[in-house]
Amino acid sequence: MSKTTASEPAPPAPEDQDLGAAGSQLSTAPTEEPAGLPSLGVIGWARWFWRQLTSMRVALLLLLLLSLGAIPGSLIPQSGQDETKVADFREGNPTLGDIYDKLGLFHVYSSVWFSAIYILLFVSLIGCIVPRTWQFVGQLRGLPPGAPKRLTRLPAHTTWRTTAEPEQVHSAALALLKKRRFRAHLAGDSVAAEKGYLRELGNLVFHIALIVMLVAFAWGQLYKSEGNKLIVEGDGFSNTLTQYDDFKSGNLFTPDDLVPFSFNLDKFTGTYERTGPNKGTPRTYQAALDYSTGPYGKDRKTTVKVNHPLEIGDAKVYLVSHGYAPVITVRDGKGEVVYDSPVPLLPLDSNVTSSGAVKVLDGYRDPQGKKEQLGFNAFFVPTFGGAASGTMLSQFPALDSPVLALSAYHGDLGADSGIPQSVYQMDKTNMKEFKDSQGKLFKKLLRPGETMTLPNGAGSVTFGKDVKEWAGFQVVQEPGGGWALTGAIAAIGGLAASLFIQRRRVWVRAVKGADGVTVVEMAGLGRSESAKVPEELGELAGTLYDRTPAAPDADGPADSPDPDPDPDQEPGHDTPVPAEGAEQQ
Amino acid sequence: MTLAAATNENLANISNVLIYSAMAVYTLAFFAYIAEWLFGSRSKVARTAAALTAGPAGAKQAPAVTANQAGGTAVLERPKVTVRASAGRRDVPDGPGAHGGDAQGDLYGRIAVSLTVLAFLVESGGVLARALSVERAPWGNMYEFNITFSTVAVGVYLLLLALRKNVRWLGLFLITTVLLDLGLAVTVLYTASDQLVPALHSYWLYIHVSTAIFCGAVFYVGAVSTVLYLFKDSYENKLATGGRPGTFATSVLERLPSSASLDKFSYRVNAAVFPLWTFTIIAGAIWAGDAWGRYWGWDPKETWSFITWVAYAGYLHARATAGWKGRKAAYLALLAFGCWLFNYYGVNIFVSGKHSYAGV
Ligand code: HEM
């Protein structure tokens, strides 16, 4: 117990070389080389640059740069997320906006410099993984290195004397270590064993998985497509480019990539909190669909909710918005129906106060029999506060007391002008107002089932009893998701193995001492300093001790920890072995 | 319906009472910890200086560790394992803990831990009542995050204590911040209990948010020990170079574990949760894929989780890179925790993104 060491600084022992071999290759981490400048022309520089790029130090710097580079994107509005915010920002700060534009700060994550950081990082990563993989394969094929000369210098060490022969100790040690799943072999006068290769494997798997995830993500971005479609209850959709209201896609996307499917919206259901401070907050939001996949697929029923998209192949159908579509019937002066259709209106607030336009493009003739178009500005509230409330705004999102306000126009809607028009807005340039008896714009509040008669026998408008609902769907195709997920799972597994498993070596040396008694020495070395290595060594030593009967000690207790096999060894030469990062010294 | 609403309101009130009670008990525990430190200061412990002046750094030998002695049939004593500190590490013994070896201090320490256990149970009850009152996991807004977060942080601390890890010295620092956290929760962040908006209805909520809170609590424990490591390390440096630290610093730092132990502890803690943090982000991505139609969209919250993740990965790399161990790595760990904190508070308060709901 009382091994007091001398306090002089230890001169470097020549045996350090010897231990270096025993402690080497305990991982595949690259050695850090001094950053000496190259002298040899282009190739020398290239090589120097490559070595720098694939060094751990540069990997670390690149990692830090990556996190630093990600920050501005979280603070400055990004065009990929919110185009209007970017526009607002540009308007508010024109000079700053220009500078940001030049630096790509409105689209940080696709900017040149951000891409440069992560591409460099991944080049570095590949440059790091490839040699490490070969090195690891080499280590698996080779055998654990033999014992260093003096095991006492290792971080954990123990010794005892036994009556057994050295060969017996060796075979007992081999059997024991192999049973504990060490790779063990006899090298000279000692058994060398190693365990925990899974750590290295996990580490390599983790870094490779990072590459898989990046490639999958990039792939997904390039082939991504994303479209929106508003559908009124009872209507359908089939997945072709022309059917979308709007559509965005990645650079390599082609319309042929769209997954073939179609669906009908049977019913939308929304329920809302009735009481309490959060009155009006949506509680359920779901759309019942009838869908079929492929050109001749079978019809199936499903429900799409927030958080629960419908998945068809690579495509996912999300429920993203909802509103009301009053059914409007327009008759001309003779009572002929010229328009009969639900009109989807856009919500303006969380209580679904909505607005939109009804456009009668064809089939209407005015009382004189002249062809004309009709237009109505529509304003709709699902829950009207009553005339006394003094507001036209909706009081609740559900259809408790719906009211539709229409104002009427006639003339030319300009639909043939070739300029694309919003369905929800009326171009009033060539429209004339219908006038009421006071000469003001003709408008009316209607309850479901009510009809308003246009002035001068121009016809009538009926607000249908049944108010339909519409749902907005987003159809997203982002291939590579499965790969990204596989990569992510592999990354977690590899990471856990790399962080929780210790790679460590154990040596057992048994030699006959001068007095003819066998001296057993055991030592353990881990990659990092850890209580586990001595613990495990103690346990192994205990078992081996039980199998190799103890010899009575000549001079002192059996567990005297100082039978240094090297008799001419000065105690001061006992320099401890650097365990953590031994191979980096 | 109204009956259910009434019970829910009752439960919410019970929850509030429990949270306030827990704060009261934590305050008592806080004073008990203070007493532990005060009484501990009477004892004069100066192991560090003794250890550092006895020999050059690293050349000393730690006490031998007795190997496993189970299996009582052994004729003789089994061999003992000698352990050495690795090169470049000061071989300084751990301090005795806040009580400094003082019996009365130790008594107060035990009282403090008992009170912490009590407060933990009360607070858990408060969180549970809140969960029952809203009929969902109690993670819908920042008030709920905060009360759950401090409960989990204290739980982690108590778990480490139960596993007989030497962590009682963390107590005072932890309880101080728990009180701050709860104070902030009940004053600034309080939100009346309510159900979730549909976007939050998903079992990924349970998975993603619970692991996020747990990781935060563990990262927090790691950050506290990293800060203490930095203090202790400069203290040891000062002693090793013949300096004389002030009496207060001596009194406090002598009682903490050695800088090497603190460093190792914070590394273990951070490394142990890093895979779980990775999982948290991936679970979030899966949920985002279901809820928002893309699994990664650089939303501010996502971005800062990523930044935090990269910063911790940098820290782990720093530990494996020569020249970056020790203090430099510790600064990185603190930076990484700073990122986590900003993600938790800063992003919710200063940056608007898809993650801000239910009124902060
Ligand atoms: C995308 C960027 C990277 C991330 C997120 C990352 C992350 C990690 C993590 C979390 C560990 C585990 C730390 C440990 O085992 O203690 C690790 C280990 C390691 N990484 Fe990376 N890494 C990245 C890039 C690189 C690059 C570019 C290199 C090569 C220069 C590299 C080389 C290593 C090595 C050698 C280890 C093992 C260290 C050891 O054995 O302790 N990594 N990495």
Side-chain angles (χ1 to χ4, degrees):
Chain A
M1 278 290 311
S2 58
K3 181 168 170 120
T4 37
T5 22
S7 53
E8 288 84 32
E15 289 85 353
D16 266 1
Q17 254 54 46
D18 168 26
L19 194 103
S24 75
Q25 302 230 310
L26 197 40
S27 90
T28 56
T31 46
E32 289 300 310
E33 288 167 51
L37 283 186
S39 51
L40 285 168
V42 181
I43 297 181
W45 272 100
R47 203 187 258 155
W48 176 84
F49 181 75
W50 180 248
R51 217 176 282 151
Q52 291 301 307
L53 185 61
T54 55
S55 75
M56 286 285 275
R57 196 165 356 97
V58 172
L60 179 58
L61 288 178
L62 286 172
L63 274 172
L64 294 182
L65 262 182
L66 185 70
S67 56
L68 215 63
I71 293 177
S74 70
L75 305 175
I76 297 169
Q78 297 291 294
S79 52
Q81 286 161 12
D82 201 335
E83 209 56 87
T84 48
K85 254 195 205 154
V86 175
D88 286 354
F89 186 92
R90 279 210 181 96
E91 208 157 287
N93 317 275
T95 15
L96 205 55
D98 283 348
I99 298 173
Y100 282 6
D101 252 340
K102 290 229 171 65
L103 297 176
L105 287 176
F106 289 122
H107 56 101
V108 166
Y109 307 107
S110 52
S111 70
V112 179
W113 55 271
F114 191 77
S115 316
I117 298 174
Y118 73 75
I119 288 171
L120 271 181
L121 184 58
F122 276 85
V123 171
S124 163
L125 187 51
I126 293 168
C128 185
I129 287 177
V130 173
R132 286 179 62 202
T133 311
W134 290 130
Q135 216 180 325
F136 183 58
V137 170
Q139 288 173 14
L140 282 182
R141 288 176 145 182
L143 289 164
K149 224 175 207 154
R150 279 198 315 285
L151 291 176
T152 39
R153 291 190 307 143
L154 289 167
H157 165 257
T158 185
T159 178
W160 69 91
R161 290 151 59 87
T162 174
T163 53
E165 290 299 308
E167 293 72 39
Q168 283 174 292
V169 177
H170 287 152
S171 56
L174 269 179
L176 171 65
L177 288 165
K178 284 193 169 152
K179 196 162 160 235
R180 301 286 177 92
R181 319 254 307 267
F182 276 82
R183 290 178 72 213
H185 70 119
L186 185 65
D189 62 355
S190 56
V191 171
E194 184 167 354
K195 191 175 171 176
Y197 294 90
L198 219 54
R199 176 207 169 91
E200 225 64 44
L201 184 66
N203 194 276
L204 290 173
V205 165
F206 168 73
H207 285 87
I208 293 168
L210 288 182
I211 299 179
V212 171
M213 280 161 77
L214 180 82
V215 171
F217 185 67
W219 181 272
Q221 294 299 306
L222 287 173
Y223 286 95
K224 184 179 170 126
S225 70
E226 183 185 307
N228 284 291
K229 177 68 181 173
L230 184 154
I231 302 169
V232 178
E233 283 172 334
D235 285 355
F237 166 79
S238 77
N239 194 20
T240 53
L241 214 48
T242 48
Q243 291 234 343
Y244 281 104
D245 299 336
D246 64 72
F247 193 80
K248 276 195 297 202
S249 63
N251 292 337
L252 298 181
F253 170 85
T254 59
D256 292 342
D257 293 334
L258 284 176
V259 175
F261 66 87
S262 57
F263 65 83
N264 282 325
L265 172 62
D266 291 340
K267 182 158 179 52
F268 176 88
T269 316
T271 62
Y272 308 88
E273 186 71 51
R274 287 266 158 204
T275 53
N278 289 300
K279 185 176 163 195
T281 312
R283 286 295 161 237
T284 47
Y285 235 36
Q286 61 187 45
L289 303 186
D290 227 331
Y291 74 101
S292 65
T293 53
Y296 310 104
K298 233 181 27 208
D299 263 10
R300 272 176 285 192
K301 287 198 181 303
T302 186
T303 315
V304 175
K305 301 183 215 173
V306 179
N307 279 330
H308 293 282
L310 166 65
E311 294 186 33
I312 302 167
D314 265 340
K316 290 188 182 180
V317 181
Y318 295 89
L319 173 62
V320 290
S321 55
H322 149 258
Y324 293 102
V327 180
I328 309 275
T329 309
V330 181
R331 291 185 172 79
D332 64 14
K334 291 188 235 135
E336 296 284 334
V337 174
V338 292
Y339 184 92
D340 182 21
S341 164
V343 181
L345 303 176
L346 290 187
L348 301 173
D349 61 20
S350 55
N351 281 334
V352 209
T353 305
S354 316
S355 77
V358 185
K359 301 183 187 182
V360 182
L361 297 171
D362 302 313
Y364 177 76
R365 286 175 191 269
D366 69 6
Q368 285 76 43
K370 223 175 78 204
K371 259 197 171 170
E372 205 181 18
Q373 291 179 326
L374 294 180
F376 304 90
N377 268 338
F379 194 83
F380 174 81
V381 292
T383 302
F384 184 48
S389 72
T391 172
M392 234 344 255
L393 294 181
S394 172
Q395 303 301 302
F396 193 72
L399 278 179
D400 287 355
S401 130
V403 162
L404 177 70
L406 291 176
S407 49
Y409 299 81
H410 60 106
D412 179 6
L413 286 164
D416 312 321
S417 64
I419 303 164
Q421 272 195 336
S422 162
V423 219
Y424 309 104
Q425 267 174 0
M426 176 166 42
D427 175 5
K428 282 189 285 211
T429 357
N430 296 314
M431 297 295 281
K432 284 195 296 261
E433 295 178 352
F434 279 105
K435 303 283 187 197
D436 63 12
S437 49
Q438 273 123 48
K440 290 222 202 90
L441 171 63
F442 180 85
K443 53 184 176 190
K444 271 241 151 68
L445 284 190
L446 299 177
R447 301 238 171 218
E450 287 182 351
T451 298
M452 72 176 190
T453 311
L454 294 172
N456 310 324
S460 70
V461 183
T462 309
F463 173 22
K465 262 210 157 52
D466 260 354
V467 179
K468 294 203 171 187
E469 304 197 31
W470 58 260
F473 292 93
Q474 187 177 44
V475 181
V476 179
Q477 257 175 256
E478 192 175 354
W483 279 102
L485 187 62
T486 313
I489 293 168
I492 296 176
L495 192 58
S498 149
L499 288 170
F500 300 146
I501 295 176
Q502 279 260 354
R503 189 157 163 204
R504 66 269 189 197
R505 290 186 181 146
V506 168
W507 290 280
V508 185
R509 171 178 283 139
V511 284
K512 274 241 156 56
D515 55 357
V517 178
T518 306
V519 176
V520 184
E521 274 191 292
M522 277 182 85
L525 177 65
R527 229 185 74 62
S528 56
E529 211 177 335
S530 146
K532 274 207 201 118
V533 171
E535 233 168 67
E536 188 182 44
L537 186 75
E539 207 204 319
L540 287 168
T543 316
L544 194 59
Y545 178 77
D546 289 346
R547 296 184 188 169
T548 54
D553 204 25
D555 43 30
D559 60 337
S560 158
D562 194 18
D564 202 315
D566 208 353
D568 52 16
Q569 160 72 44
E570 300 270 324
H573 284 211
D574 263 5
T575 325
V577 171
E580 193 166 5
E583 62 291 337
Q584 288 169 10
Q585 302 294 314
Chain B
M1 189 63 217
T2 40
L3 193 67
T7 32
N8 286 355
E9 205 147 309
N10 255 339
L11 276 168
N13 288 336
I14 291 173
S15 164
N16 291 349
V17 170
L18 285 175
I19 295 293
Y20 277 101
S21 315
M23 284 179 73
V25 184
Y26 277 130
T27 311
L28 292 179
F30 173 77
F31 285 121
Y33 280 118
I34 295 267
E36 182 188 16
W37 279 93
L38 282 180
F39 281 99
S41 72
R42 293 191 304 207
S43 62
K44 285 280 165 271
V45 272
R47 304 147 176 250
T48 310
L52 284 172
T53 45
K60 278 187 58 287
Q61 196 181 310
V65 169
T66 310
N68 187 354
Q69 298 230 351
T73 51
V75 198
L76 286 166
E77 234 188 311
R78 285 180 163 194
K80 288 181 176 167
V81 174
T82 311
V83 186
R84 294 167 175 280
S86 62
R89 284 226 194 251
R90 274 185 235 101
D91 200 4
V92 173
D94 288 342
H99 54 76
D102 182 284
Q104 210 168 344
D106 185 44
L107 178 67
Y108 278 110
R110 284 166 195 280
I111 292 175
V113 171
S114 314
L115 285 170
T116 309
V117 172
L118 179 64
F120 170 74
L121 293 178
V122 175
E123 194 186 5
S124 306
V127 172
L128 190 71
R130 176 83 179 192
L132 291 175
S133 87
V134 290
E135 297 169 20
R136 59 169 167 78
W139 310 318
N141 51 50
M142 270 184 83
Y143 168 73
E144 293 172 1
F145 281 132
N146 262 37
I147 60 173
T148 314
F149 176 73
S150 52
T151 313
V152 174
V154 173
V156 168
Y157 166 68
L158 292 176
L159 182 75
L160 288 172
L161 275 182
L163 292 174
R164 310 216 161 269
K165 304 272 182 227
N166 169 21
V167 290
R168 207 165 96 192
W169 45 269
L170 263 173
L172 179 61
F173 308 99
L174 186 70
I175 299 307
T176 310
T177 33
V178 162
L179 281 173
L180 281 177
D181 168 272
L182 285 177
L184 206 63
V186 296
T187 51
V188 182
L189 302 174
Y190 186 77
T191 323
S193 71
D194 186 52
Q195 292 177 352
L196 294 177
V197 296
L200 287 177
H201 280 297
S202 166
Y203 56 90
W204 285 109
L205 168 76
Y206 292 82
I207 298 168
H208 170 67
V209 183
S210 66
T211 53
I213 291 176
F214 182 78
C215 288
V218 179
F219 280 143
Y220 176 65
V221 169
V224 170
S225 64
T226 306
V227 171
L228 296 179
Y229 156 76
L230 286 171
F231 280 116
K232 182 89 186 211
D233 184 59
S234 39
Y235 172 74
E236 287 175 8
N237 279 342
K238 205 165 189 180
L239 280 178
T241 54
R244 278 179 158 273
T247 38
F248 179 72
T250 310
S251 170
V252 170
L253 294 172
E254 270 301 328
R255 288 182 262 167
L256 292 178
S258 70
S259 70
S261 300
L262 285 168
D263 187 36
K264 227 188 287 179
F265 177 72
S266 32
Y267 170 71
R268 293 229 179 106
V269 163
N270 285 330
V273 283
F274 186 72
L276 190 66
W277 179 243
T278 312
F279 171 79
T280 302
I281 296 178
I282 289 164
I286 295 174
W287 181 17
D290 284 351
W292 300 326
R294 83 287 183 293
Y295 55 87
W296 194 265
W298 297 107
D299 170 77
K301 203 93 179 171
E302 290 169 352
T303 305
W304 278 92
S305 304
F306 173 76
I307 293 170
T308 308
W309 184 77
V310 173
Y312 274 109
Y315 165 69
L316 293 180
H317 269 205
R319 299 270 318 193
T321 309
W324 271 83
K325 291 176 189 157
R327 296 187 74 90
K328 275 197 206 165
Y331 290 130
L332 261 185
L334 290 184
L335 195 76
F337 184 70
C339 293
W340 192 88
L341 262 192
F342 184 77
N343 196 17
Y344 182 46
Y345 286 106
V347 172
N348 285 23
I349 295 168
F350 302 120
V351 189
S352 69
K354 286 192 177 232
H355 270 83
S356 359
Y357 15 63
V360 180

